[in-house]
């Protein structure tokens, strides 16, 4: 077996754009033959996938799937909305969703190493899809919940998969009630279940901002504190699920609605495609000028 050197790995990486470990593995597999190693990476879809790694995948789809024992919610990203609506991509999302539901890995790294029904790792399965579809695709995040007898599970997909929500209620087994809360979470996007879940650091930060706002409005110093506390209470009610007016009946809060059903909110997960990711804005003029200069 050929001795695979660091220089060989570096050269293969420069030629293909693939990751260091993938390059080393390819060279080991083909006894150090550079051309065969390139073919190996192309066949695996790794080289093509790596070349697209500088692109930002901010489109895609969320998914919520369940069986008798578990529920999984996940987000899978693509580069364009066009591909996100592609039948191949939709099927890929279904396949990955079912894989996570069956295998139930602990984290993203473990998930990508799991073996699909066809014997491929999930990462290789995604790389193969990248090869066929021609865009960067990635499993961004997921959560899996175990079903418990006295819990209700509300699953909701909004805007064709743009938003995926899972709500777990304790004290009831009525999934319809949990789904109503999930629809609310999709629409209003709370940050916390209760205002008691908000950290003291966040409260202090918000209080500081509200104080500066009140002072800049020219309010007398003797009433600023009272104003700030009132506005802070309003802020906390806006970000806390239990305190928000229920979308299906604004006369009651979500907390009151759930309590009327004899339940409490145990947890919720809300994934919105691309949230927190910086979408790259293409500059067409700059792109053309760059091509002219070549």
């Amino acid at each position: 077996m050929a001795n695979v050197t660091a220089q060989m790995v570096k050269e293969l990486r420069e030629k293909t754009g693939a990751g260091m470990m993938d390059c080393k593995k390819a060279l080991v597999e083909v006894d150090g033959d550079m051309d065969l190693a390139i073919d190996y990476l192309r066949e695996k879809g790794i080289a093509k996938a790596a070349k697209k790694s500088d692109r930002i995948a901010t489109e895609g789809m969320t998914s919520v799937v369940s069986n008798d024992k578990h529920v999984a919610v996940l987000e899978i990203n693509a580069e364009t909305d066009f591909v996100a609506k592609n039948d191949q991509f939709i099927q890929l999302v279904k396949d990955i969703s079912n894989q996570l539901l069956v295998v139930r890995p602990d984290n993203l790294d473990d998930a990508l190493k799991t073996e699909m029904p066809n014997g491929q790792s999930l990462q290789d399965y995604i790389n193969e899809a990248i090869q066929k579809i021609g865009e960067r695709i990635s499993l961004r995040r997921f959560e899996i919940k175990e079903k418990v007898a006295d819990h209700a599970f509300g699953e909701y997909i909004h805007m064709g998969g743009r938003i995926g929500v899972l709500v777990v209620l304790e004290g009831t087994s009525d999934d319809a009630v949990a789904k109503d809360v999930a629809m609310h979470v999709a629409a209003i996007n709370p940050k916390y279940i209760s205002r008691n879940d908000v950290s003291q650091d966040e409260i202090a930060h918000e209080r500081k901002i509200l104080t500066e706002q009140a002072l800049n409005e020219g309010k007398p110093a003797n009433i600023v504190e009272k104003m700030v506390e009132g506005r802070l209470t309003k802020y906390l009610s806006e970000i806390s699920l239990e305190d928000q007016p229920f979308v299906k009946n604004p006369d009651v809060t979500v907390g009151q609605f759930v309590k009327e059903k004899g339940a409490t909110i145990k947890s919720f997960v809300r994934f919105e495609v691309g949230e927190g990711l910086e979408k790259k804005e293409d500059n067409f003029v700059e792109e053309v000028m760059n091509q002219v200069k070549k």
Side-chain angles (χ1 to χ4, degrees):
M1 187 176 74
N3 181 34
V4 176
T5 66
Q7 181 58 39
M8 291 166 67
V9 173
K10 180 175 181 291
E11 181 181 348
L12 182 58
R13 190 179 183 188
E14 289 172 351
K15 288 183 175 180
T16 64
M20 188 178 297
M21 294 307 297
D22 288 325
C23 289
K24 183 176 180 180
K25 181 180 178 181
L27 287 163
V28 169
E29 288 289 328
V30 298
D31 289 334
D33 188 302
M34 190 63 63
D35 291 334
L36 289 178
I38 293 171
D39 289 343
Y40 176 93
L41 291 172
R42 291 187 62 197
E43 288 165 3
K44 293 289 186 182
I46 296 172
K48 189 168 185 178
K51 287 179 180 178
K52 295 178 181 294
S53 62
D54 60 335
R55 300 184 189 174
I56 301 174
T58 56
E59 299 297 332
M61 181 181 292
T62 62
S63 174
V64 185
V65 292
S66 62
N67 55 26
D68 292 339
K69 295 183 178 180
H70 296 89
V71 186
V73 55
L74 58 146
E75 177 188 353
I76 300 176
N77 295 131
E79 292 178 47
T80 64
D81 185 51
F82 177 77
V83 161
K85 295 175 181 177
N86 179 290
D87 287 342
Q88 285 181 300
F89 181 79
I90 292 171
Q91 184 60 51
L92 178 69
V93 172
K94 289 180 180 178
D95 292 343
I96 295 174
S97 300
N98 290 330
Q99 175 75 357
L100 296 179
L101 189 62
V102 171
V103 180
R104 301 187 303 280
D106 292 330
N107 53 59
L108 194 56
D109 287 341
D110 287 349
L112 295 173
K113 294 172 185 174
T114 61
E115 185 175 312
M116 298 289 288
N118 67 356
Q120 287 181 304
S121 70
L122 177 55
Q123 182 63 75
D124 285 345
Y125 195 75
I126 293 172
N127 285 339
E128 188 174 271
I130 293 171
Q131 186 98 337
K132 293 176 181 176
I133 295 173
E135 276 196 11
R136 185 185 179 200
I137 297 168
S138 62
L139 170 61
R140 183 185 179 195
R141 51 186 173 169
F142 68 90
E143 284 197 33
I144 300 171
K145 303 289 186 182
E146 183 178 4
K147 289 189 174 180
V148 182
D150 67 338
H151 288 21
F153 293 79
E155 307 167 27
Y156 182 64
I157 291 291
H158 187 59
M159 297 174 63
R162 190 77 194 174
I163 299 172
V165 178
L166 172 62
V167 167
V168 182
L169 301 184
E170 189 172 15
T172 180
S173 57
D174 190 344
D175 291 343
V177 174
K179 184 173 182 179
D180 282 343
V181 179
M183 293 172 68
H184 173 97
V185 170
I188 308 301
N189 192 17
K191 291 179 66 177
Y192 305 97
I193 294 175
S194 164
R195 64 178 61 199
N196 295 329
D197 299 326
V198 185
S199 71
Q200 289 304 308
D201 286 345
E202 182 171 349
I203 291 174
H205 177 72
E206 189 64 22
R207 181 180 281 113
K208 181 176 182 297
I209 291 173
L210 293 173
T211 300
E212 291 299 323
Q213 286 178 353
L215 291 172
N216 290 335
E217 289 169 8
K219 304 297 183 184
N222 62 330
I223 67 166
V224 164
E225 184 176 350
K226 190 173 182 179
M227 284 183 59
V228 167
E229 291 309 309
R231 290 179 180 181
L232 184 61
T233 298
K234 183 173 183 292
Y235 167 77
L236 291 173
S237 69
E238 289 173 347
I239 64 174
S240 304
L241 177 56
E242 290 180 342
D243 291 337
Q244 293 175 341
F246 184 37
V247 289
K248 295 185 76 172
N249 180 12
D251 291 335
V252 299
T253 65
V254 175
Q256 290 170 334
F257 166 73
V258 171
K259 188 176 181 180
E260 288 170 1
K261 305 298 181 180
T264 56
I265 303 167
K266 182 173 178 62
S267 66
F268 73 86
V269 180
R270 183 187 188 276
F271 288 163
E272 183 169 350
V273 171
E275 63 185 341
L277 297 175
E278 183 180 349
K279 188 168 184 177
K280 183 179 179 181
E281 298 294 337
D282 292 326
N283 187 323
F284 180 71
V285 174
E286 183 179 329
E287 184 179 329
V288 171
M289 291 304 294
N290 286 337
Q291 291 296 322
V292 170
K293 292 174 182 177
K294 289 182 178 179

